[in-house]
Amino acid sequence: MKKIKKLLGNQKIKKALLRIENMSLQKKLVLSYILIILIPIITFSLYIFKQFKDSAIKNMIKENEYLLEMEKITISKNIYSMENAAQMVVSDKKFINFIKDRNEYTTEELLDFNYNSIMNIVKIQNNNPNIEHIRFYVDNNNINEIWPVVFSENRIKNKPWYNEVKRLKGMVLWKFEEIDQDIVDRQYKYIYENSAKIMLLREISYPEGEHLGIIEVDMLLKNFLPKMYAELSNQRSQMFFIDSKGNLYTNINNDFLKRNKLSLENIKEQFYKYKNNDRGSFFLENQNNNILAIYTYIEAIDSYVISLISLQDIFTNISRTRNIIILTIIFLIIILSIITNLINTIILKKLNMLIYSMKKIRQGDFNIDVSVRGDDEIGELAHHIRRLLVKINELITDAVNKKIVSKEAELRALRTQIDSHFLYNTLENIKMLAEIEGQFEISDALTSLGKMMRYNMKWASEYVTLREEIDHIKNYTSLMNIRFDNKIKLIINIDSYLLEQEVLKLSIQPIIENSISHGIKDKLDKELGIIEIKASIDGNTMIIEITDNGKGMSPEEVEKLNYKINLEDEEFNKNLLNKYEGQETVKRGNGIGLRIVNQRIKLYYGDDYGLQISSKKGEYTKVILKLPYLIVNGGISKYA
């Protein structure tokens, strides 16, 4: 207040105030406009220009960070697609077993391999259209190259990445190449533009330590980075890709570099100069410093994606707006009205866009893009709505997945559901009636039958102890003795500690049934039928022998039976159909039961295990089972 009074007391100020008082009303208004509107608006316009410029840069950063995140998600999906394709090839046991076999193959085997395993790999590639090649470089001179999947490893031994892949011992190596070259060096070939590619390389060794070859899954960068190679409606931005070796890739059809007088080396140099974290932004040092660089890190492949945006047009538009505001200050009231109207229109437009978006969301469209952007409250609200939509979609996806899992569990339960309690109670009632009537033999038979039914229906796991399987066999033999007047003698010659051995459920009982039906049944009217079960250990392998004193088989019949039980399904069914074509039923005794047991053992334990049959005509038949010696609580037994 003292300063104001002092100023008012100054003679010059008094004269100036006196002149203002003597001015006409129009001049006073003009002076008021100048003092109250012109100067504040000029000052404000300069300030707004700076804020608008900063806001435009922030919005551009946000928008391009969003685009980079979307590209990053696409890259992650492509990485998963390539890794999944490689894993599907490696998981094909038939393919791997064929590749690792060092024996020479017949023409029929090669054709079967080509029409089945090779076509499966081609299907994997066809189901992933972004994948360019799936190649397996095999280290096996007995296997001819089968284009376009199987190639000789000699073709890649001079590649700079060959030894690096082998050093990784099964770990994935990601590599980039400028050109997708033809691996077979054909005479006429054409290299397309933008044919740079990313490669997934992995050594395949099976069993561990045995080198089988190297798998290669390729994807062109134009498919791996679709936004970088997309046809843009404007040329104000361009994406670049820098791999772990510092190689820079981009769409060569985009003239962004030429228009902005930039070089790839300059971009790479400044990127490594200003890069601090896994994501960020900086301005390139060029003629006008109007190129904004935004980058993000792709951890899985140790690479960066960079987006360069030219702000020249934005800066030019802002400057033009500023100049227009300053030059048209004389029309301040009109401009002010226009600006006020424009601001209201912008605000209402954003609100109308938000209302339209909320209506779409209410109708169930959760994939709508809320296009309102900005740092104001409406822009912030729009940003949170977008985040909310992302969360809703995630929750919907999670709920659907959980529902699918629940339904699958219900279906599995329905497939295996048996009203076992009704059967057990019925057997118990019949057993009590038999005991009341003094029919103890029937009562004992029902007891054995009940135990067998419980054993068969209680299928909590594929694995049981040998003790449980033997108990089941005893119950089965007891029932058979009722039929054959106690002429079947079961001898168990197994040490007690071996009874805790893990076996597949119902893996021995079908063999006992086979021994009775096809071995000793025809001799029971003359002599006692004997079935002996023995078990022994050979290293980490348990050998179970089931021997009967039945009618036996000739060497030719034994050889034929062993051959049958090891046939592939297609060949076995074909032979069976040819043998019994024209008959209404298929007779028993074709090795189907033994073959099923053999297949189950190989499926669960591997091809090193299974069963084998030996016999002598008129004397005996012996079935030998080979199983891994594992106790049911896991691991190699301490007795091994």
Side-chain angles (χ1 to χ4, degrees):
M1 291 297 295
K2 292 180 179 179
K3 290 182 178 180
I4 294 175
K5 290 180 179 179
K6 185 176 181 181
L7 289 173
L8 293 174
N10 190 288
Q11 292 296 322
K12 292 182 178 181
I13 293 178
K14 286 182 179 181
K15 290 180 180 180
L17 291 175
L18 183 59
R19 289 177 183 176
I20 291 172
E21 287 178 358
N22 294 329
M23 285 181 180
S24 64
L25 180 60
Q26 184 177 2
K27 291 182 179 180
K28 286 180 180 179
L29 288 174
V30 172
L31 182 61
S32 298
Y33 293 154
I34 293 172
L35 295 175
I36 298 174
I37 299 176
L38 180 60
I39 295 176
I41 284 184
I42 291 175
T43 305
F44 186 71
S45 64
L46 294 174
Y47 173 78
I48 286 295
F49 166 73
K50 184 180 182 303
Q51 293 295 316
F52 190 74
K53 180 179 178 181
D54 294 340
S55 178
I57 295 172
K58 289 180 181 178
N59 287 337
M60 190 62 68
I61 292 175
K62 282 186 178 180
E63 183 176 346
N64 281 272
E65 282 181 344
Y66 176 76
L67 293 176
L68 285 180
E69 284 300 313
M70 295 300 293
E71 187 74 339
K72 191 173 180 179
I73 292 173
T74 301
I75 291 171
S76 298
K77 290 181 179 178
N78 286 332
I79 289 173
Y80 173 77
S81 177
M82 295 174 71
E83 291 177 339
N84 189 50
Q87 187 58 41
M88 289 177 70
V89 174
V90 174
S91 299
D92 189 340
K93 290 186 177 180
K94 188 173 181 181
F95 177 82
I96 295 299
N97 288 336
F98 190 96
I99 293 299
K100 76 172 184 177
D101 196 343
R102 302 293 176 177
N103 297 321
E104 291 187 4
Y105 295 101
T106 64
T107 302
E108 183 180 358
E109 289 173 332
L110 290 173
L111 288 174
D112 179 70
F113 177 70
N114 182 49
Y115 286 117
N116 290 285
S117 297
I118 296 299
M119 293 309 296
N120 287 339
I121 296 176
V122 173
K123 288 179 183 178
I124 293 172
Q125 181 174 342
N126 292 337
N127 290 334
N128 297 272
N130 286 339
I131 293 178
E132 192 69 15
H133 308 293
I134 298 179
R135 295 166 175 162
F136 196 104
Y137 302 98
V138 60
D139 184 21
N140 190 339
N141 295 329
N142 293 324
I143 297 180
N144 296 325
E145 292 188 335
I146 304 177
W147 300 351
V149 175
V150 178
F151 298 89
S152 172
E153 196 175 83
N154 293 327
R155 291 186 179 274
I156 60 171
K157 285 187 176 179
N158 61 343
K159 295 288 186 179
W161 42 260
Y162 175 76
N163 291 325
E164 187 176 357
V165 173
K166 295 190 70 175
R167 283 196 301 269
L168 289 176
K169 295 183 178 179
M171 300 295 290
V172 171
L173 176 66
W174 296 94
K175 281 292 181 180
F176 299 84
E177 286 191 354
E178 295 281 354
I179 297 175
D180 181 23
Q181 295 181 338
D182 191 355
I183 190 67
V184 296
D185 296 324
R186 285 173 283 201
Q187 184 175 0
Y188 298 102
K189 56 186 178 180
Y190 177 74
I191 303 299
Y192 294 93
E193 292 183 342
N194 287 327
S195 64
K197 68 179 182 180
I198 181 172
M199 303 186 299
L200 179 153
L201 301 164
R202 176 180 169 188
E203 181 192 28
I204 305 304
S205 56
Y206 180 84
E208 187 174 353
E210 181 182 350
H211 175 72
L212 299 182
I214 292 176
I215 188 170
E216 173 187 341
V217 181
D218 297 341
M219 186 178 290
L220 295 182
L221 286 186
K222 66 181 180 181
N223 296 324
F224 191 73
L225 300 157
K227 285 188 170 54
M228 188 169 83
Y229 289 88
E231 293 292 333
L232 302 175
S233 57
N234 61 75
Q235 299 295 324
R236 291 186 300 180
S237 65
Q238 184 169 352
M239 278 192 179
F240 298 81
F241 188 81
I242 296 183
D243 64 18
S244 58
K245 302 297 184 182
N247 298 313
L248 195 63
Y249 303 88
T250 189
N251 185 358
I252 61 177
N253 296 325
N254 196 331
D255 63 345
F256 179 88
L257 295 177
K258 183 178 179 181
R259 287 188 294 102
N260 292 279
K261 299 179 180 179
L262 295 171
S263 67
L264 295 178
E265 287 298 320
N266 181 254
I267 294 172
K268 184 165 62 173
E269 179 183 348
Q270 294 198 49
F271 170 74
Y272 285 112
K273 178 180 178 181
Y274 292 107
K275 176 179 68 72
N276 289 323
N277 301 311
D278 290 343
R279 56 187 298 177
S281 61
F282 60 90
F283 278 95
L284 287 181
E285 296 175 357
N286 66 336
Q287 188 175 1
N288 299 318
N289 290 333
N290 59 0
I291 304 296
L292 177 64
I294 303 173
Y295 62 90
T296 187
Y297 179 63
I298 311 297
E299 183 179 3
I301 53 177
D302 191 23
S303 303
Y304 288 86
V305 179
I306 307 172
S307 179
L308 296 187
I309 307 102
S310 174
L311 302 178
Q312 182 63 45
D313 293 340
I314 296 175
F315 289 174
T316 300
N317 292 334
I318 294 173
S319 298
R320 186 183 296 115
T321 303
R322 179 198 61 187
N323 294 334
I324 291 174
I325 291 174
I326 294 175
L327 291 175
T328 58
I329 283 298
I330 55 175
F331 305 105
L332 185 59
I333 301 301
I334 299 174
I335 297 299
L336 183 61
S337 300
I338 294 174
I339 292 174
T340 302
N341 184 63
L342 181 61
I343 292 173
N344 288 333
T345 302
I346 292 173
I347 294 174
L348 292 175
K349 181 180 179 181
K350 288 185 176 181
L351 287 174
N352 288 331
M353 291 172 68
L354 280 180
I355 292 171
Y356 174 79
S357 299
M358 294 304 294
K359 287 181 179 179
K360 286 288 187 180
I361 295 171
R362 188 184 63 186
Q363 294 170 1
D365 185 1
F366 297 110
N367 294 316
I368 188 171
D369 180 24
V370 182
S371 58
V372 178
R373 299 289 188 274
D375 289 333
D376 56 7
E377 289 80 0
I378 297 177
E380 184 71 15
L381 177 60
H383 171 71
H384 288 297
I385 291 175
R386 286 193 293 272
R387 299 304 301 166
L388 177 63
L389 287 174
V390 172
K391 188 64 177 178
I392 289 174
N393 284 321
E394 290 176 353
L395 292 174
I396 290 174
T397 301
D398 185 60
V400 170
N401 291 336
K402 289 181 178 178
K403 191 71 173 177
I404 291 173
V405 172
S406 176
K407 288 298 181 184
E408 288 179 351
E410 292 176 5
L411 287 174
R412 286 195 298 269
L414 286 173
R415 291 192 193 105
T416 59
Q417 185 177 12
I418 298 176
D419 193 358
S420 57
H421 293 292
F422 171 76
L423 296 175
Y424 299 152
N425 291 336
T426 302
L427 286 176
E428 287 294 329
N429 291 334
I430 298 173
K431 176 185 173 183
M432 290 176 62
L433 289 173
E435 290 179 351
I436 292 172
E437 296 295 329
Q439 300 293 331
F440 298 108
E441 185 176 357
I442 297 176
S443 175
D444 292 341
L446 289 172
T447 299
S448 298
L449 179 60
K451 290 180 180 179
M452 287 185 63
M453 290 179 64
R454 289 181 186 273
Y455 185 79
N456 288 331
M457 293 181 178
K458 185 181 179 182
W459 205 284
S461 170
E462 291 289 341
Y463 305 100
V464 295
T465 62
L466 181 57
R467 184 189 306 278
E468 292 171 314
E469 185 75 3
I470 293 298
D471 289 342
H472 180 63
I473 291 169
K474 290 178 178 178
N475 291 323
Y476 174 77
T477 307
S478 296
L479 289 175
M480 289 297 101
N481 269 321
I482 295 175
R483 176 184 174 186
F484 295 109
D485 202 17
N486 291 317
K487 289 187 176 182
I488 300 173
K489 182 178 181 181
L490 179 66
I491 301 174
I492 307 298
N493 189 7
I494 301 174
D495 291 337
S496 59
Y497 73 90
L498 294 178
L499 292 175
E500 299 306 315
Q501 157 72 7
E502 175 189 275
V503 296
L504 286 173
K505 188 172 184 178
L506 294 179
S507 59
I508 302 178
Q509 187 268 341
I511 300 173
I512 301 298
E513 182 179 355
N514 203 67
S515 295
I516 295 174
S517 299
H518 305 292
I520 64 176
K521 183 175 70 173
D522 296 338
K523 300 178 66 173
L524 293 180
D525 55 343
K526 299 177 181 178
E527 58 182 285
L528 189 67
I530 300 174
I531 299 175
E532 182 180 11
I533 303 176
K534 293 172 30 178
S536 61
I537 303 299
D538 183 8
N540 290 330
T541 301
M542 184 175 187
I543 299 174
I544 301 176
E545 298 179 0
I546 300 96
T547 307
D548 65 67
N549 64 340
K551 62 183 180 181
M553 292 179 286
S554 65
E556 292 79 11
E557 289 174 320
V558 173
E559 182 181 0
K560 187 175 181 181
L561 185 56
N562 280 317
Y563 173 75
K564 279 183 179 181
I565 65 177
N566 286 286
L567 275 177
E568 294 293 334
D569 288 342
E570 184 178 352
E571 188 67 22
F572 180 82
N573 293 331
K574 181 179 178 181
N575 292 343
L576 198 63
L577 181 63
N578 292 337
K579 183 175 181 180
Y580 297 106
E581 188 172 5
Q583 298 184 19
E584 293 183 359
T585 59
V586 177
K587 298 180 181 179
R588 301 188 61 185
N590 298 297
I592 296 176
L594 296 177
R595 183 172 176 275
I596 292 173
V597 173
N598 186 53
Q599 283 187 322
R600 287 184 67 211
I601 293 173
K602 290 183 179 295
L603 176 64
Y604 283 91
Y605 296 124
D607 292 336
D608 294 334
Y609 304 97
L611 63 85
Q612 188 177 10
I613 302 166
S614 64
S615 182
K616 188 172 182 180
K617 189 73 172 179
E619 294 188 14
Y620 73 91
T621 298
K622 180 186 293 185
V623 179
I624 302 171
L625 276 77
K626 290 185 178 181
L627 304 171
Y629 184 36
L630 302 170
I631 56 176
V632 292
N633 58 356
I636 303 296
S637 175
K638 65 182 179 179
Y639 296 103

